[in-house]
Amino acid sequence: LRNRHLLLDLPGRLFAEAGRAPTSDVRAAVTAQIGLAIEILLMAPIRMKNLIALRIGEHLVRPGGSRGLYHLVLHETETKNTEPIEFELPRHLTDMIDLYLSRFRTRLCDDGCPWLFPNIKGDQKAQATLSQQIVETIHKRTGITITPHQFRHLAALIFLDAEPGNFEAVRRVLGHR
């Protein structure tokens, strides 16, 4: 339970730390980026291949307009099991994305960059790089060793703890056939 709390609290702590840095600090933008990636994995346990490929306006959309919640949308051609996936992201994550886009991502790329997670050159961040940053940050800040793929297992565990036996819902959340 302690580890779960540490992990769930980490994205907010990373964002708070990034927010205290000078507005030109690129390292702070990367810290916020890692925090956002962790929060997305906690709320929408997608594969790393899909996480690093998220494009604003294509995979991250707001059906309700600028005041609505973001939806994370993966088409069947983009998933391992050819199953489409859509998550309505909660308000706190929608707010976190808005803050990241307006305050942090602008330090890494210009407005024409489509990637949610760009590198400092504005290109798509490498999967291995973001994965390593996530693993190292979590371990350094919490002492927990967890890979991005293990967030999928964690999500299933948390869901089944709350709703024992609801394997069908877990199957849908994970995009399994």
Side-chain angles (χ1 to χ4, degrees):
L1 208 55
R2 178 183 174 278
N3 285 348
R4 188 182 294 184
H5 176 72
L6 286 171
L7 188 58
L8 293 174
D9 190 48
L10 182 59
R13 288 189 296 127
L14 292 171
F15 256 72
E17 177 185 311
R20 291 189 296 272
T23 57
S24 60
D25 189 343
V26 173
R27 289 176 302 177
V30 173
T31 297
Q33 187 180 69
I34 295 165
L36 179 61
I38 293 169
E39 189 65 19
I40 289 173
L41 290 172
L42 287 167
M43 297 295 117
I46 60 176
R47 290 180 169 84
M48 275 302 293
K49 174 184 173 185
N50 296 116
L51 184 70
I52 56 109
L54 292 177
R55 292 176 183 252
I56 300 161
E58 181 179 338
H59 302 108
L60 198 60
V61 297
R62 273 187 144 151
S66 64
R67 297 201 182 270
L69 298 174
Y70 280 107
H71 285 224
L72 192 153
V73 179
L74 300 173
H75 305 284
E76 62 275 354
T77 58
E78 300 169 314
T79 64
K80 179 179 176 183
N81 298 322
T82 64
E83 292 289 324
I85 296 174
E86 182 171 346
F87 291 98
E88 180 180 70
L89 303 179
R91 172 56 56 195
H92 80 277
L93 182 49
T94 290
D95 293 343
M96 185 181 271
I97 291 167
D98 283 340
L99 179 61
Y100 168 76
L101 292 176
S102 67
R103 188 163 179 200
F104 299 109
R105 186 175 166 275
T106 56
R107 300 178 203 177
L108 302 172
C109 65
D110 61 28
D111 288 340
C113 173
W115 310 110
L116 181 62
F117 298 110
N119 62 24
I120 58 172
K121 296 177 185 174
D123 298 322
Q124 179 182 9
K125 191 165 212 165
Q127 181 175 327
T129 301
L130 185 56
S131 183
Q132 181 179 0
Q133 289 173 328
I134 290 168
V135 170
E136 289 177 357
T137 299
I138 291 172
H139 190 265
K140 179 180 176 185
R141 304 296 181 100
T142 68
I144 299 167
T145 301
I146 184 171
T147 66
H149 185 77
Q150 288 172 323
F151 277 86
R152 293 173 59 77
H153 301 273
L154 178 63
L157 175 69
I158 291 170
F159 192 91
L160 289 173
D161 280 351
E163 295 192 33
N166 195 347
F167 299 109
E168 176 58 20
V170 170
R171 181 196 67 74
R172 287 193 318 265
V173 165
L174 296 178
H176 288 172
R177 286 184 172 202

